[in-house]
Amino acid sequence: MDLGGDIVSSERFAMALAVPHHNPRRTVASHSLETAEYALRIARWLNRHGASVSEEDAVRASLMHDLGMTEDEVFLSPSRKKAFSHPRAGSRIAREEFRANDVQVDAVRRHMWPIGLTPPRNMEGWVVVAADKCCSVREAQRYARDAAGQLADTLLG
């Protein structure tokens, strides 16, 4: 089942390949792909345990959740403002460029919870929140491990 090929092959996603995210080695695109992988795993686990989560909506929303970062006015803004502005821009992009449904748009718009004060309205949105946070923590761990290794190499010469 194709859960987001149109998104990944889009011009917008190609732009996301050039936008750094969370650390200098990651991009919005790489983060979004990893988030989508986590979202699919979480959705499948929930469905095996009696929930009813649309895997398609969770994956598509994950692929789109940070595309608002590709807008110049968002990308160039201070981090604090970026945290609040990219979900708005992303939800507009999701609707206009990818004809996202209401579930997907809500998940994109609210994925920054709890920094964004309004939580998702549906399970798919909660899956995106969880997948995004898991992915972000792993990215931070990788970056810290790499930085520590570089520091050790420098000190031990």
Side-chain angles (χ1 to χ4, degrees):
M1 161 176 15
D2 179 17
L3 299 178
D6 61 318
I7 298 166
V8 174
S9 64
S10 71
E11 186 176 317
R12 178 69 69 173
F13 208 80
M15 291 169 61
L17 286 166
V19 178
H21 193 47
H22 291 155
N23 75 57
R25 293 194 186 119
R26 300 291 287 179
T27 66
V28 167
S30 63
H31 169 75
S32 297
L33 286 166
E34 189 170 356
T35 302
E37 180 183 345
Y38 275 86
L40 182 59
R41 289 179 183 184
I42 293 167
R44 286 183 174 166
W45 186 90
L46 288 168
N47 287 334
R48 280 194 308 272
H49 290 85
S52 179
V53 179
S54 167
E55 294 174 7
E56 179 177 8
D57 286 343
V59 168
R60 289 181 65 79
S62 294
L63 289 171
M64 297 182 284
H65 82 281
D66 277 342
L67 290 180
M69 296 278 197
T70 62
E71 298 282 283
D72 283 344
E73 67 272 8
V74 174
F75 177 71
L76 298 173
S77 66
S79 292
R80 181 179 46 80
K81 183 177 179 190
K82 192 180 299 186
F84 292 100
S85 61
H86 84 274
R88 276 192 304 278
S91 61
R92 179 186 47 75
I93 290 166
R95 190 170 301 284
E96 292 175 4
E97 295 182 24
F98 301 107
R99 287 175 282 189
N101 63 33
D102 291 341
V103 169
Q104 295 167 13
V105 170
D106 183 73
V108 171
R109 174 76 176 185
R110 299 168 191 264
H111 79 273
M112 286 299 290
W113 186 87
I115 293 169
L117 300 177
T118 309
R121 293 182 181 145
N122 50 65
M123 283 296 292
E124 293 77 8
W126 285 108
V127 167
V128 174
V129 167
D132 182 38
K133 302 314 178 258
C134 289
C135 186
S136 296
V137 166
R138 284 196 44 135
E139 289 169 359
Q141 288 174 326
R142 282 187 217 125
Y143 185 66
R145 185 181 57 240
D146 292 348
Q150 289 174 0
L151 178 60
D153 290 347
T154 300
L155 294 174
L156 299 174

